Amino acid sequence: MSAGRDAAAFAEHGHTVTAVEPTVELRAHGQQLHGHLPITWIDDSLPDLNRVHATGECYDLIMQTAVWMHLDLDQRERAIGRVAGLLRPNGLMALSLRHGPVPAGRRMFEISATETQALAVRHGLVTIHDSEGAALQGGPGVWWSRLAFRAQR
Ligand SMILES: C[S@@+](CC[C@H](N)C(=O)[O-])C[C@H]1O[C@@H](n2cnc3c(N)ncnc32)[C@H](O)[C@@H]1O
C-alpha cells in the first residue's frame, strides 16, 4: 500500500495538500515516505471528519482513492454530506470503488457507482467522470469504478 501516494503527487506539483489517515501505522509510513514534502497530516476518519471540519478549511479537490468501500451504508450516507461540506464552490471530489473478491479478514462492502452518484447528487455533487477499469491493485477478479464529481454551489 502506498500511503500518501495521491497527497505526494499533488504536493510535488506545488499544491497545498492535507492528507487524512486514521490508521497510525499508515500515517507514520506516509509521513516517513513523503517527509520531504509539505503535506499536513491529520488523524481523522470518515464519516464525520470532525478534525478536518474543525480546521475551517475548504478544498478545491478531495481524493478518496480506495477508501469509500470500507464504509457501510449508514456511514456512506453520512460521509457524503460531510465531504461535500468541505468543498469550495466548483470543487472536485474523486473516488475509486473496489469490486470483486474481498480479502479474508477485511471489512469491505460491494458498492455500486450508481448508489454513489445517487448519494452525491443529494448534496449538490454532479458527476463529471464515471468509468470502470481493471485492477491496478487488488489481484485476480478485482476491478475498479472511478468517479469524479463537481460541487454545484
Ligand atoms: C486500500 S487503502 C488505500 C490507501 C490509499 N488511498 C491508496 O490508494 O493507496 C484504504 C485506506 O482507507 C483508509 N480508511 C479505512 N476506513 C477509513 C475511514 N473510516 N475513514 C478514513 N479512512 C479510512 C485506511 O486507513 C487506508 O488508508
Side-chain angles (χ1 to χ4, degrees):
M1 188 167 304
S2 51
R5 177 195 49 215
D6 292 340
F10 282 100
E12 278 166 356
H13 283 83
H15 297 286
T16 303
V17 177
T18 299
V20 178
E21 175 54 63
T23 304
V24 64
E25 294 83 3
L26 294 179
R27 201 169 57 252
H29 184 52
Q31 287 170 318
Q32 185 188 4
L33 272 179
H34 308 298
H36 59 294
L37 292 168
I39 298 170
T40 301
W41 288 83
I42 299 183
D43 172 10
D44 204 357
S45 59
L46 294 158
D48 289 317
L49 296 173
N50 284 330
R51 290 188 181 129
V52 179
H53 274 273
T55 67
E57 293 285 335
C58 284
Y59 301 90
D60 294 315
L61 171 65
I62 298 177
M63 302 280 296
Q64 302 184 92
T65 305
V67 174
W68 200 249
M69 68 274 177
H70 295 298
L71 306 180
D72 66 26
L73 180 57
D74 283 350
Q75 292 173 318
R76 298 195 296 275
E77 288 182 334
R78 171 100 182 126
I80 195 81
R82 295 293 280 172
V83 172
L86 291 168
L87 286 172
R88 292 202 175 110
N90 295 313
L92 302 175
M93 192 263 273
L95 61 80
S96 59
L97 295 170
R98 184 189 189 280
H99 306 284
V102 175
R106 299 294 303 280
R107 180 182 190 268
M108 224 180 267
F109 303 91
E110 181 61 40
I111 303 167
S112 70
T114 305
E115 179 213 278
T116 310
Q117 289 170 296
L119 288 180
V121 79
R122 282 191 227 160
H123 294 274
L125 300 175
V126 172
T127 303
I128 58 168
H129 179 87
D130 174 5
S131 66
E132 294 175 352
L136 293 178
Q137 56 187 89
V142 173
W143 54 283
W144 293 80
S145 299
R146 294 184 180 82
L147 294 167
F149 304 93
R150 183 182 294 280
Q152 297 293 292
R153 59 184 167 83

